[in-house]
Structures are given as C-alpha cells and as structure tokens.
Amino acid sequence: MLCAACHHTVEDGPTLCPHCHNTPLVDGRYALLAPLGQGARGTTWRARRMVDGLEVALKYLPIQDVERFSVVDRLTREARLLAALDHPNIPKLLEHLITHTPQPAAVLVTQLVDGEDWGSTQHHLTVAQALTRVASVLDILAYLHSATPPLVHRDLSPGNLIQRHNGTVFLVDFHSAAHAAAPADNVHTTSLGTPGFMAPEQLLGVALPATDIYSAGCLLLWLLGRVPLHAMLDE
C-alpha cells in the first residue's frame, strides 16, 4: 500500500508511516493501492476498505482553507448526483466524506470498475465494433437524459469510459455533470469538457442532452481514426 500523505510504499497495517510519520490510511480506513487517474485538483486511486478488504475507487481531493468551499461543494454535488443514479453501467456511490486524516481532503468512494479506459486502448476497431461501443454509451445517455430534468454528463471522452474484459462499458467521473434547464436558463458559470470531444455550446457554459450526443459522435470518429474531431478539421 501507499501512504496517503507522502505516497511512499508502506507495509499494511502500520499505525504511522515510517517515512513521514503520518497516518498512512485515508480517514484511518482506506489504504491506497495505485493511482487510477490524475485530475487538476486531485487523484482517483484504487483503494482497499480495511474493514472488509473491498477494493474501491477513491477520489481524493486535498483542500486548503482558501479553496475549502469550492472543493467540498463540487464533490458534494457529484456525490448527490451519483446517489440518485441506479444504472448497471454507472459505478455506485459507496461513501462521501470530508476527512482530516492524514490531511484535510474531500473524498468520494465508488464501486471499482476493473478494465481499460478507451484512451488506453491500442488496437484498431472495425466499424461494427466501434458502433457497438458507442451504442452502449448511448444506452447510458438515454438513462441520464430521461431524468427530470435531464442529466447531462458534459465530459464524454475516452478517459471517462472503461471497458471491462467481458465487453461491458462503464461511464465514470460525474464531476462535470449538470441538470439541463430550459435553453434560455441553461448557462453555467464554467466551461467544462475535454477538447476534441466537447460540443461548441460548452464553451459558453451551456449543456443540453444534445451536448452529450455531439460528444458521442466525436467518440465514434475517434474510435475509427484515433484522432480528435478538432485535429481532423485542422488537416
């Protein structure tokens, strides 16, 4: 396992890390095993819940006093969205907490999805295989968009789609997700998304169900050519 404070390797179960002398477990309960993804503010880890050995995905966002409200508010909002979702291809929320062990951090714990994200896939797909993959994403979007009001993911990109070895596709990372409003009211304060996969209206902070559908089309083009849409247009 890795110390949550200094990320040095430590033996399972020590009270204090021999390198930094902090408690190595997140909230005294979760052992970090390996990084799954790195974001602008924090890291998502493969972690082990010590009480029962269950492996989970743990999003860990260290917080400073000056940014405490924005970090906590953003993760709390993501937790509330996930708690309201019930779909076999969306990881289930297990816990959301604020901890001071080993340092102040906002933490989101979800079901771990073992597999490979689309961005890591190296082999080329046939048209039929690419269409099958995107069709599975459209099924998830149909569920999200059927909510009242519709829930828009806003960051449909290869890194947020994980394919299990049996072919099942999971949509992860709902930090950008937002409920759509009437077009006249649907102006968010920030532009969120991944360049090459985000719809033009996202530059204005607008997000509607059509926004995700546009991104799904970009995913199909990317699966077929391994080139983001904006790179194709520049050629």
Side-chain angles (χ1 to χ4, degrees):
M1 61 178 273
L2 301 175
C3 173
C6 68
H7 299 166
H8 278 89
T9 301
V10 296
E11 297 294 330
D12 280 0
T15 303
L16 295 176
C17 170
H19 302 281
C20 67
H21 307 293
N22 285 304
T23 301
L25 303 177
V26 174
D27 201 48
R29 299 182 295 127
Y30 291 98
L32 302 183
L33 303 179
L36 294 173
Q38 179 70 47
R41 299 255 180 183
T43 304
T44 299
W45 296 85
R46 175 188 289 268
R48 180 187 302 117
R49 190 166 62 187
M50 299 301 288
V51 67
D52 58 6
L54 177 70
E55 292 196 3
V56 299
L58 185 148
K59 182 181 287 188
Y60 188 81
L61 301 180
I63 52 180
Q64 306 297 328
D65 289 339
V66 293
E67 63 179 6
R68 181 179 300 272
F69 177 79
S70 63
V71 172
V72 172
D73 181 65
R74 184 167 57 252
L75 207 69
T76 299
R77 183 174 163 278
E78 182 179 355
R80 287 174 178 167
L81 288 175
L82 285 173
L85 300 178
D86 184 15
H87 190 280
N89 302 100
I90 297 174
K92 297 185 183 305
L93 175 70
L94 300 178
E95 186 176 7
H96 162 241
L97 64 140
I98 307 300
T99 184
H100 292 273
T101 307
Q103 58 185 331
V107 178
L108 188 73
V109 184
T110 63
Q111 170 191 1
L112 177 67
V113 181
D114 273 316
E116 186 177 52
D117 72 74
W118 285 12
S120 302
T121 303
Q122 299 298 320
H123 61 278
H124 291 283
L125 302 179
T126 65
V127 173
Q129 289 172 330
L131 287 171
T132 298
R133 283 199 179 193
V134 173
S136 64
V137 175
L138 293 176
D139 286 340
I140 304 173
L141 293 182
Y143 167 76
L144 296 178
H145 297 167
S146 68
T148 306
L151 182 63
V152 184
H153 186 271
R154 295 205 294 174
D155 195 12
L156 204 61
S157 58
N160 287 335
L161 289 157
I162 299 177
Q163 186 120 2
R164 280 183 165 170
H165 299 301
N166 65 2
T168 304
V169 175
F170 277 75
L171 178 60
V172 302
D173 204 342
F174 281 72
H175 77 283
S176 299
H179 285 291
D185 301 323
N186 198 335
V187 179
H188 300 279
T189 57
T190 55
S191 170
L192 298 171
T194 300
F197 299 93
M198 57 191 290
E201 64 267 20
Q202 286 182 261
L203 296 174
L204 301 176
V206 176
L208 297 168
T211 303
D212 283 344
I213 302 302
Y214 179 98
S215 297
C218 292
L219 279 170
L220 177 59
L221 293 175
W222 182 84
L223 286 172
L224 294 172
R226 297 293 164 177
V227 180
L229 179 59
H230 67 85
M232 293 182 183
L233 296 176
D234 290 340
E235 292 181 354

